Amino acid sequence: MLRCFELAQSGLGNVAPNPLVGALLVHNGKIIGEGFHQEIGKAHAEINAINDAEKKYPQLISESELYVNLEPCSHFGKTPPCTDFIITKGLKKVFISNTDSNPLVAGKGIKKLRSAGIEVIENLLSIEGRNLNKRFFSFHEKKRPFIILKWAQTADGFIAPESKNKIQITGELSQQQVHKWRSEEQSILVGKNTVLSDNPQLNVRLWRGKNPIRLIIDSKLSIPKNLKIFNNETPTIIFNSIKTAEQKNITWVKLDFTSSILKQLLSYLYSKNIQSILVEGGSLTLQKFINENLWDEAKIFTSTKKLIQGINAPIIFREDLKSELLSIADDNLKIIYNYH
């Protein structure tokens, strides 16, 4: 199953809103076929693993066991049901890490396999499996995207100078890591002030991968049209209090700014099947997510630089949360987990 997890991870950034899935076909303790879900709309992991085994060991398929980290689907989506394919191949035993939370599956795949006489072993490394698919499970169980907060702060706790002068708080390797994270999530969010002060591109430049959907909060639509978020590079959604409209790659979505805009925003993203958000700033926007407890992970860089004065970094007041500390060159990275 650990190998299934490794294979599944290879689909990160390419399969959302589908889950990350890896699969193995095993005969007498030997792996004879491997596969993972590579891209949304293409074959699922179970199909790829069985097809891989058939190229080399066609005579062993019906005598083999299937390992897959998520319950095989039993419905027609962009591809036919995996359960039907597994049944036609005559497999007798299937090992699964997690039941699928998607209401379209949710135990129906396991029931279908058992009805066909296939033995199903569930909950193999289920905690590790849930962590692998934290975005998928959060989306279906909490009815909102998985939310990652990210910021960089100086050693004395500032996120930016008060002046218009820009400084790079972290080093090159940390910047590259952030672009890797961007490639793994479906969307990236900032507030109006960050756009006005930094004119960011919010894309993946320092890592190979897809650009995330850009999400901007701009109540009065005050961001000038000559800034980089209005280029045609990637889909962009602007949440505002004035209009709902579409033009080329830009979508404007009107919200009621007299009540919680975050819950409205998240509800809209859920309706659009957007499973994850990387919230990159600024300090006020990040603090709103923290204050409303609408976050799942926080990734906080702290550099050795000092500003003496500036814009204060967000603060997570809770001390009961699991965290880990890492080093990236001269920067410290703290990851805080607001789940489990």
Side-chain angles (χ1 to χ4, degrees), residues 189-192 215-219 239 257 261-262 265 285:
L189 183 145
V190 297
K192 174 197 68 176
L215 310 175
I216 315 296
I217 300 174
D218 180 16
S219 173
F239 296 98
F257 277 69
I261 61 164
L262 295 189
L265 183 154
T285 300

Side-chain angles (χ1 to χ4, degrees), residues 44-107:
H44 288 186
E46 304 93 316
I47 310 300
N48 288 332
I50 294 171
N51 286 341
D52 182 46
E54 282 191 321
K55 296 175 186 175
K56 300 167 285 189
Y57 309 101
Q59 73 283 4
L60 301 180
I61 303 301
S62 62
E63 302 171 14
S64 301
E65 300 169 340
L66 178 70
Y67 285 75
V68 59
N69 62 283
L70 194 70
E71 174 185 7
C73 63
S74 56
H75 66 288
F76 281 90
K78 293 182 181 295
T79 58
C82 292
T83 49
D84 292 355
F85 189 77
I86 294 167
I87 292 167
T88 61
K89 294 300 176 180
L91 299 183
K92 301 296 188 294
K93 197 169 188 179
V94 176
F95 292 85
I96 296 170
S97 180
N98 300 114
T99 303
D100 194 328
S101 290
N102 186 339
L104 294 172
V105 186

